[in-house]
């Protein structure tokens, strides 16, 4: 790995102060870039004719959904294309040098030194068996740091301190598992900027983090790169984040740049149909709840009764949770010893019939634990879950089995929630079979009906999950949840893993289904932007406790608690809403 | 506006400056038809059940036909050796010892003057029976114990894992020597049983590990919230998803057991000397390996072809049962 960097030595760039380049000369200029991958079925053109310009010290964002070629474009700049990827045409000029077809030693010399990289996943991008300090040291050494051991140690502490890690010297001796996700990402940003590159590529730098942490980290990254005069190329799927952090946007779709230009202009006046859709469906920019077709609980209750063909329900409260508490015992250091951890602490809320209640909080706030107790998958330590007026814990096994039909979950990960060995047909039929609903024939009819309901072609039932996209799998998961005609659906981060356009489609679908079938949703999410689109009422949770509880409009227009305000502040692009509403 | 670019764009009061060269507003011509297809499904009707799909998949792979043919031939030979040779493998003539191939005796004769071709044909039965029996027993025993330990966890896991560790610590040959030396009637079944008793631990560990990782999937939670019982989930969801490494190990184990039978026979505690087996012939040939290697070649070749056939079949089956590995 250690090269002698003949190229950068030849270039008159001083060791520690980059970005003295002419500010009006492009730092990075990509022209007509073509990238293709060789696969079993032939060539796949991942990037087709992309153009991109970055000036020194500027922030540019590439926006696009997964598979749009945005990461591939970024990877090609530092010649780190995965697998069989190859640049087949076009040019990448960096600081006046052509990178396409440059010898390996040359691109290797650029990496880290002139072009830094902040990877997407802080969990897997630090080596778990090395101390943080060692990993920073390695990065410094690989990029030609020359100095004594003591100097190196001070430099490592400086790098971490710059990245916003307090008590840096002690932190340097810790291992990655002792860091939280946000701290790891800070360390990675420190490593990326350690050698004072002219350009930093940040590939979804915060998509794995909580919104409030995301905001802190991006703010810090912004301050740092501004002070250092580093240009930043953001890769993101989040239009709001891109518009907030960059002045120039490049929108990619299916390997092509469909629109590029000043961020404000693109946001206010998108030209290309894809960009229009993207702007329209970006949750952080959308103004109000979708449709709001159900006017009152009364109306949907009637609908519901009709749908079930049964007597109208006993109460207008689908789920009522009172003083719910869950204590986990965490194994202590010595065998036999244990400490109590209260994951959910005295939580009460009510989900009205035909309404949507959002449980909002960051990771570790106890929202999923609460949901699992509502689903009956976890025993509460104390407190009650009432379903349609009946305390769930008093049910005998037979009644409990019947209760399962009336409340169904949809999970976050569309890749994990369907059994890969089951065809789509079997996946959707399984609940019907398990509860002995109908004959084989009528079950097949019902599966076809459900596929129609979630807007998938009936022929999809012959497929296996791996042949479908994330959005399609989530539709299947919804169809499976609806198979038994439940009254309540618990959506545990059900749209968090999806691209914005697909997310918007699924949210629309959920809303339609709610109107048609009178469903009640318990919507678990960390994303307040989505809450605004779908929920009627909001419960904000922090560290297992409910901190605020009100209707959606109240929470958004008049948040009472500081924590809620922080969450709202942290929505990327939240400030841009007013701007966009006109356009 | 480089000085205030960290301000949210929307709030900046200054008018947008003219874009710099290369950053003018650019709009691509509208794409033909590409946009609506964001969430479309590939649609065509194809067979539905897992097994039928697996069959369609296997059918197209040459490896399936090659390994299938090998296995059918080996099984035929094992079942009806008389169809392939009319010479009695036990009718030996010391006068013809170590004679080379000749008409009617294509593989020549071994040190005892027995016909090698005939012995190779008749030897298939004992070896294949021991191998297949031992492997089946190991798969059943190991999968059951591993799955229960991994799936139910807690004290099931503690107890079963310790038992596995204890058996793991006993060397196969040593354990077999102890049991076989006290056995009076040494049949193929007994040999297979002894091999299985000391050989199931590896597969139990593999199963436990895979089950542990599969049971944390969300589709398991989904099944739970449907009201499905734990046993049902184990059988319907967890085990099928854990099958791949078990199949791979089982095919490797088959070969190992055939060889282990040979080891026991070589030590004189395997099958009785009057039973013709590849293992016995391989060990008998060892003494002459430097002078007459061809004696070793034929039984060893039979063993190799059998093991190879089962291993290739295992690979094909594993790929076909895994929807992720399927190519359309």
């Amino acid at each position: 790995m250690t090269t002698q960097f003949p190229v950068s030595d030849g270039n008159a760039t001083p060791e520690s102060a980059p970005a003295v380049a002419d500010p009006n000369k492009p730092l990075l200029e990509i022209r007509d870039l073509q990238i293709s991958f060789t696969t079993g079925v032939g060539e796949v053109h991942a990037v087709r004719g992309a153009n991109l310009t970055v000036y020194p010290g500027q922030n540019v964002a590439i926006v696009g959904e997964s598979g749009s070629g945005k990461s591939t474009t970024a990877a090609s700049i530092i010649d780190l294309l995965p697998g069989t990827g190859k640049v087949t045409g076009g040019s990448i000029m960096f600081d006046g040098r052509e990178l396409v077809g440059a010898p390996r030693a040359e691109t290797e010399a650029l990496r880290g030194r002139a072009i830094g990289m902040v990877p997407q996943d802080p969990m897997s991008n630090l080596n778990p068996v090395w101390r943080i300090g060692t990993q920073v040291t390695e990065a410094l050494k690989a990029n030609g740091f020359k100095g004594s051991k003591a100097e190196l140690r001070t430099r490592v502490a400086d790098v971490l301190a710059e990245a916003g890690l307090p008590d840096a010297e002690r932190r340097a001796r810790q291992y990655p598992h002792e860091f939280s996700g946000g701290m790891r990402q800070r360390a990675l940003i420190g490593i990326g900027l350690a050698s004072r590159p002219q350009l930093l590529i940040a590939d979804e730098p915060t998509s794995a983090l909580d919104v409030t942490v995301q905001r802190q980290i991006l703010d810090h990254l912004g301050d740092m790169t501004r002070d250092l005069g580093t240009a930043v190329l953001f890769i993101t799927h989040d239009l709001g984040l891109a518009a907030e952090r960059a002045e120039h946007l490049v929108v990619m779709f299916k390997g092509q740049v469909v629109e590029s230009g000043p961020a404000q202009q693109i946001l206010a006046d998108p030209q290309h149909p894809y960009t229009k859709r993207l702007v329209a469906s970006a949750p952080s920019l959308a103004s109000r709840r979708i449709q709001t077709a159900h006017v009152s609980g009364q109306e949907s209750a009637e609908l519901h009764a009709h749908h079930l063909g049964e007597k109208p329900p006993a109460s207008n409260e689908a789920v009522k949770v009172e003083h719910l508490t869950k204590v986990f015992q965490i194994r202590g250091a010595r065998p036999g010893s244990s400490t109590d951890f209260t994951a959910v602490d005295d939580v009460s809320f009510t989900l009205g019939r035909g309404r949507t209640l959002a449980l909002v909080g960051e990771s570790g706030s106890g929202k999923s634990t609460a949901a699992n107790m509502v689903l009956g998958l976890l025993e509460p330590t104390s407190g009650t879950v009432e379903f349609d007026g009946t305390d769930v814990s008093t049910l005998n096994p037979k009644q409990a089995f019947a209760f399962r039909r009336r409340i169904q979950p949809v999970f976050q990960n569309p890749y994990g929630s369907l059994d890969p060995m089951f065809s789509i047909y079997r996946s959707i039929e399984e609940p019907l079979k398990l509860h002995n609903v109908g004959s084989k024939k009528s079950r097949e009819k019902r599966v076809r009906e459900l596929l129609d309901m979630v807007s998938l072609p009936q022929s999809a039932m012959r497929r296996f999950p791996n042949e479908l996209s994330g959005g399609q799998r989530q539709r299947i998961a919804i169809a499976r949840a609806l198979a038994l005609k439940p009254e309540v659906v618990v959506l545990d981060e059900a749209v968090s893993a999806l691209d914005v356009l697909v997310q918007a489609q699924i949210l629309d679908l959920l809303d339609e289904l709610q109107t048609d079938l009178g469903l009640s949703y318990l919507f678990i999410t960390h994303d307040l932007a989505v809450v605004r689109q779908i929920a009627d009422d909001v419960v904000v949770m922090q560290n297992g406790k409910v901190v605020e509880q009100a209707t959606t409009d109240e929470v958004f227009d008049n948040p009472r608690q500081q924590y809620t305000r922080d969450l709202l502040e942290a929505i990327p692009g939240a400030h841009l809403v007013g701007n966009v509403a006109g356009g | 506006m480089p000085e205030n670019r960290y301000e949210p764009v929307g709030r900046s009061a200054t008018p947008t400056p003219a874009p710099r060269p290369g950053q003018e507003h650019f709009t691509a011509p509208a794409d033909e038809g590409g946009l609506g297809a964001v969430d479309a499904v590939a649609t065509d009707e194809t067979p539905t059940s897992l097994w039928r799909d697996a069959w369609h998949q296997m059918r197209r792979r040459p490896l399936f036909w090659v390994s299938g043919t090998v296995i059918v031939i080996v099984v035929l030979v094992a079942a009806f050796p008389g169809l392939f040779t009319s010479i009695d493998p036990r009718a030996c003539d010391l006068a013809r010892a170590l004679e080379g191939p000749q008409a009617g005796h294509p593989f020549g004769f071994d040190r005892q003057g027995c016909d090698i071709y005939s012995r190779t044909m008749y030897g298939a039965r004992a070896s294949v029976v021991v191998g297949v029996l031992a492997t089946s027993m190991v798969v059943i025993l190991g999968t059951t114990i591993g799955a229960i330990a991994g799936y139910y966890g807690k004290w099931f896991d503690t107890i079963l894992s310790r038992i596995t560790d204890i058996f793991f610590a006993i060397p196969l040959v040593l354990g077999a020597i102890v049991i076989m030396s006290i056995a009076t009637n040494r049949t193929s079944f007994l040999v297979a049983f002894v091999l299985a008793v000391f050989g199931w631990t590896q597969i139990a560990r593999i199963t436990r590990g895979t089950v542990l990782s599969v049971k944390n999937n969300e589709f398991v939670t989904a099944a739970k919230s449907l009201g499905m019982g734990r046993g049902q989930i184990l059988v319907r969801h967890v085990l099928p998803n854990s099958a791949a490494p078990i199949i791979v190990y089982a095919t490797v184990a088959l070969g190992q057991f055939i060889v282990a039978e040979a080891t026991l026979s070589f030590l004189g505690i395997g099958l009785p000397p009057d039973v013709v087996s590849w293992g016995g012939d391989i060990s008998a040939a060892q003494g002459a390996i430097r002078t007459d290697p061809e004696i070793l070649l034929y039984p060893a070749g039979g063993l190799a072809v059998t093991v190879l056939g089962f291993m290739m079949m295992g690979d094909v089956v594993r790929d076909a049962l895994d929807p992720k590995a399927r190519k359309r």
Side-chain angles (χ1 to χ4, degrees):
Chain A
M1 267 297 283
T2 40
T3 355
Q4 272 310 305
F5 314 118
V7 186
S8 38
D9 287 346
N11 196 330
T13 314
E15 186 70 23
S16 56
V20 283
D22 181 2
N24 292 317
K25 219 176 118 239
L27 177 66
L28 175 73
E29 204 172 4
I30 296 179
R31 286 284 159 265
D32 197 29
L33 184 68
Q34 312 273 350
I35 300 173
S36 57
F37 287 81
T38 317
T39 66
V41 288
E43 295 254 295
V44 174
H45 300 281
V47 174
R48 293 173 290 165
N51 293 316
L52 175 74
T53 309
V54 181
Y55 283 92
Q58 203 185 23
N59 285 348
V60 172
I62 306 180
V63 188
E65 58 195 44
S66 45
S68 63
K70 56 185 195 305
S71 290
T72 310
T73 305
S76 71
I77 298 169
I78 44 176
D79 195 21
L80 283 179
L81 285 174
T84 57
K86 227 175 119 69
V87 175
T88 50
S91 94
I92 302 174
M93 296 289 283
F94 180 77
D95 205 10
R97 267 172 288 155
E98 175 62 53
L99 296 186
V100 173
R104 221 177 73 157
E106 199 172 316
T107 44
E108 244 169 43
L110 281 178
R111 284 182 212 154
R113 253 201 170 183
I115 306 178
M117 174 96 186
V118 177
Q120 173 168 15
D121 183 5
M123 301 302 157
S124 61
N125 275 298
L126 286 167
N127 190 334
V129 299
W130 283 0
R131 295 173 202 273
I132 300 286
T134 318
Q135 310 198 36
V136 179
T137 309
E138 198 194 34
L140 287 170
K141 277 188 179 160
N143 293 310
F145 182 87
K146 290 182 191 74
S148 67
K149 269 195 169 168
E151 278 169 3
L152 190 61
R153 209 173 306 134
T154 344
R155 184 79 189 89
V156 167
D158 285 350
V159 164
L160 293 177
E162 277 167 16
L165 288 167
D167 202 3
E169 250 174 84
R170 191 173 61 83
R171 291 288 179 204
R173 287 196 302 275
Q174 287 186 314
Y175 286 93
H177 73 262
E178 297 174 73
F179 275 37
S180 70
M183 285 159 73
R184 285 186 224 197
Q185 196 56 283
R186 280 176 193 269
L188 283 168
I189 289 173
I191 292 173
L193 289 170
S195 303
R196 303 286 179 258
Q198 291 158 279
L199 174 69
L200 184 74
I201 299 172
D203 189 353
E204 303 267 14
T206 54
S207 59
L209 304 172
D210 280 328
V211 271
T212 49
V213 181
Q214 165 177 315
R215 185 172 183 82
Q216 288 164 7
I217 296 227
L218 288 177
D219 282 349
H220 189 82
L221 179 68
D223 291 344
M224 251 181 109
T225 49
R226 183 180 43 205
D227 293 348
L228 295 171
T230 313
V232 183
L233 181 61
F234 282 104
I235 318 291
T236 180
H237 66 277
D238 188 335
L239 189 62
L241 186 145
E244 195 176 74
R245 302 284 165 182
E247 59 257 43
H248 181 73
L249 294 190
V250 177
V251 182
M252 285 189 79
F253 177 65
K254 291 196 166 172
Q256 283 174 311
V257 173
V258 294
E259 190 162 355
S260 68
Q264 204 173 347
Q265 196 179 341
I266 289 200
L267 219 55
D269 185 21
Q271 295 297 315
H272 194 273
Y274 176 74
T275 324
K276 282 181 184 163
R277 282 180 59 183
L278 207 58
V279 171
S281 58
S284 47
L285 306 171
S287 40
R288 288 298 132 134
R289 195 188 194 292
I290 303 169
Q291 290 174 31
T292 346
H294 53 299
V295 185
S296 68
Q298 186 63 40
E299 191 184 324
S300 50
E302 272 165 30
L303 257 168
H304 183 79
H306 171 71
H307 160 66
L308 276 181
E310 285 166 7
K311 60 181 187 336
S315 78
N316 236 0
E317 290 165 352
V319 175
K320 191 175 179 191
V321 169
E322 277 187 327
H323 307 295
L324 201 62
T325 300
K326 179 72 192 176
V327 178
F328 287 111
Q329 297 199 325
I330 297 176
R331 218 182 292 170
R334 278 165 290 112
S337 73
S338 65
T339 40
D340 285 353
F341 169 71
T342 310
V344 175
D345 194 357
D346 194 23
V347 167
S348 306
F349 57 81
T350 305
L351 168 61
R353 203 164 282 284
R355 290 175 74 83
T356 302
L357 175 73
L359 275 185
V360 187
E362 303 194 324
S363 48
S365 62
K367 56 190 194 302
S368 286
T369 311
N372 280 341
M373 285 190 282
V374 171
L375 278 167
L377 295 173
L378 268 180
E379 282 283 308
T381 309
S382 67
T384 55
V385 177
E386 266 180 37
F387 186 86
D388 201 10
T390 323
D391 186 349
V392 175
S393 62
T394 60
L395 299 175
N396 64 33
K398 212 174 153 194
Q399 287 168 320
F401 186 68
F403 157 72
R404 298 278 186 204
R405 294 184 60 162
R406 305 174 64 187
I407 181 162
Q408 279 294 304
V410 176
F411 295 109
Q412 170 176 18
N413 181 357
Y415 296 88
S417 57
L418 297 174
D419 189 334
M421 308 285 282
F422 275 41
S423 67
I424 300 308
Y425 176 74
R426 274 184 78 199
S427 276
I428 303 178
E429 188 209 17
E430 190 180 32
L432 300 169
K433 223 170 160 180
L434 188 72
H435 285 265
N436 277 322
V437 179
S439 63
K440 199 166 188 279
K441 248 206 173 127
S442 70
R443 284 203 294 266
E444 191 179 323
K445 197 169 145 261
R446 176 76 182 143
V447 171
R448 290 180 185 279
E449 221 174 272
L450 285 160
L451 283 169
D452 279 346
M453 227 184 254
V454 296
S455 315
L456 282 178
Q458 295 185 357
S459 56
M461 68 191 206
R462 311 285 183 217
R463 297 280 168 179
F464 282 85
N466 64 302
E467 297 167 60
L468 305 181
S469 71
Q472 291 161 1
R473 291 184 208 203
Q474 208 60 314
R475 283 169 193 267
I476 302 294
I478 292 170
R480 178 180 58 186
L482 294 179
L484 292 166
K485 302 184 179 173
E487 294 149 56
V488 176
V489 179
V490 177
L491 300 149
D492 192 350
E493 301 275 14
V495 295
S496 310
L498 305 174
D499 286 322
V500 271
L501 282 187
V502 182
Q503 186 176 356
Q505 288 172 343
I506 298 284
L507 287 175
D508 279 339
L509 171 71
L510 286 171
D511 196 74
E512 258 171 58
L513 292 170
Q514 182 165 49
T515 320
D516 293 349
L517 307 175
L519 297 169
S520 316
Y521 292 143
L522 182 59
F523 200 91
I524 320 290
T525 184
H526 67 278
D527 189 350
L528 268 170
V530 174
V531 169
R532 183 159 227 182
Q533 285 179 290
I534 188 101
D536 302 303
D537 306 289
V538 181
V539 172
V540 182
M541 286 184 72
Q542 184 188 19
N543 300 330
K545 288 196 177 75
V546 173
V547 292
E548 186 156 356
Q549 188 164 10
T551 63
T552 306
D553 286 343
E554 245 178 273
V555 166
F556 274 79
D557 299 338
N558 185 21
R560 301 246 167 78
Q561 297 290 324
Q562 184 56 41
Y563 182 68
T564 316
R565 276 197 285 274
D566 288 347
L567 280 178
L568 285 170
E569 272 290 295
I571 301 177
H575 311 292
L576 308 171
V577 172
N579 233 34
V580 176
Chain B
M1 44 173 204
E3 62 287 339
N4 67 346
R5 41 169 209 265
Y6 296 101
E7 288 299 314
V9 182
R11 282 198 291 198
S12 71
T14 49
T16 324
R20 299 197 237 178
Q23 296 196 330
E24 298 87 0
H25 193 169
F26 159 82
T27 311
D31 186 39
E32 333 66 49
L35 292 177
V38 176
D39 204 21
V41 193
T43 57
D44 60 308
E45 300 263 348
T46 41
T48 165
S49 92
L50 183 70
W51 291 104
R52 211 188 306 168
D53 261 10
W55 167 241
H56 277 266
Q57 183 70 17
M58 286 197 291
R59 226 166 46 168
R60 281 186 295 174
R61 293 195 49 183
L63 201 60
F64 170 73
W65 294 106
V66 173
S67 58
T69 314
V70 169
I71 291 175
V72 166
I73 291 175
V74 168
V75 168
L76 266 182
V77 170
F80 311 106
L83 285 180
F84 296 86
T85 176
S86 52
I87 302 165
D88 182 357
R90 292 178 198 84
C92 307
D93 181 2
L94 263 181
R96 312 187 75 173
L98 296 176
E99 275 183 31
Q102 47 195 261
H105 306 282
F107 293 176
F109 297 89
D110 68 6
R111 275 151 69 103
Q112 306 296 326
C114 310
D115 179 77
I116 296 179
Y117 174 70
S118 165
R119 287 191 72 88
T120 307
M121 292 297 128
Y122 276 90
R125 178 182 292 174
S127 298
V128 170
V129 164
V130 168
V132 171
L133 262 183
T135 307
S136 327
M137 285 192 256
V138 156
V139 168
I140 292 169
L141 196 66
T143 310
T144 312
I145 292 177
I148 291 175
Y151 186 66
Y152 292 97
K154 300 203 175 128
W155 61 268
F156 275 111
D157 189 21
T158 313
I159 293 175
L160 290 176
S161 292
R162 290 300 83 75
I163 293 177
T164 311
D165 289 347
I166 291 168
F167 274 88
F168 208 71
I170 305 172
L172 177 92
V173 173
L174 195 66
I177 288 174
V178 172
I179 295 191
M180 293 304 288
S181 58
I182 56 168
T184 46
N185 184 17
R186 304 203 301 251
T187 60
S188 300
F189 181 80
L190 182 69
V191 173
F193 178 75
V194 168
L195 292 177
V197 163
F198 296 104
W200 58 269
T201 49
Q202 194 68 41
I203 225 163
R205 282 188 169 191
I206 293 172
T207 312
R208 177 176 172 270
T210 354
V211 165
L212 272 178
S213 70
V214 171
K215 80 168 179 180
N216 286 324
N217 272 306
E218 278 178 347
F219 61 82
V220 172
T221 320
K224 243 183 249 173
S225 51
L226 284 174
M228 197 183 264
R230 297 183 75 180
Q232 241 176 325
I233 294 176
L234 176 62
V235 174
R236 285 177 66 90
H237 289 289
V238 177
L239 277 182
N241 277 289
S242 317
I246 298 174
I247 293 175
V248 172
Y249 181 74
T251 54
V252 176
L254 184 85
Q256 288 175 346
F257 286 130
I258 295 180
V259 176
E261 182 272 316
T263 313
L264 294 183
S265 298
F266 176 70
L267 292 170
I269 49 167
L271 297 169
D274 61 318
V275 175
V276 186
S277 81
W278 289 337
D281 282 9
I282 289 171
S283 52
Q286 272 177 345
I289 189 163
R290 291 174 68 183
T291 49
D292 303 278
E294 69 274 9
I295 306 177
L296 181 68
L297 188 70
Y298 297 110
L303 176 66
V305 167
T306 309
V307 171
L308 194 66
F310 277 103
M311 282 175 81
M312 288 192 299
M313 182 57 89
D315 271 6
V316 175
V317 171
R318 180 201 56 194
D319 287 351
L321 282 181
D322 182 3
K324 279 169 285 190
R326 264 184 220 157
K327 294 187 208 90
R328 288 207 166 256

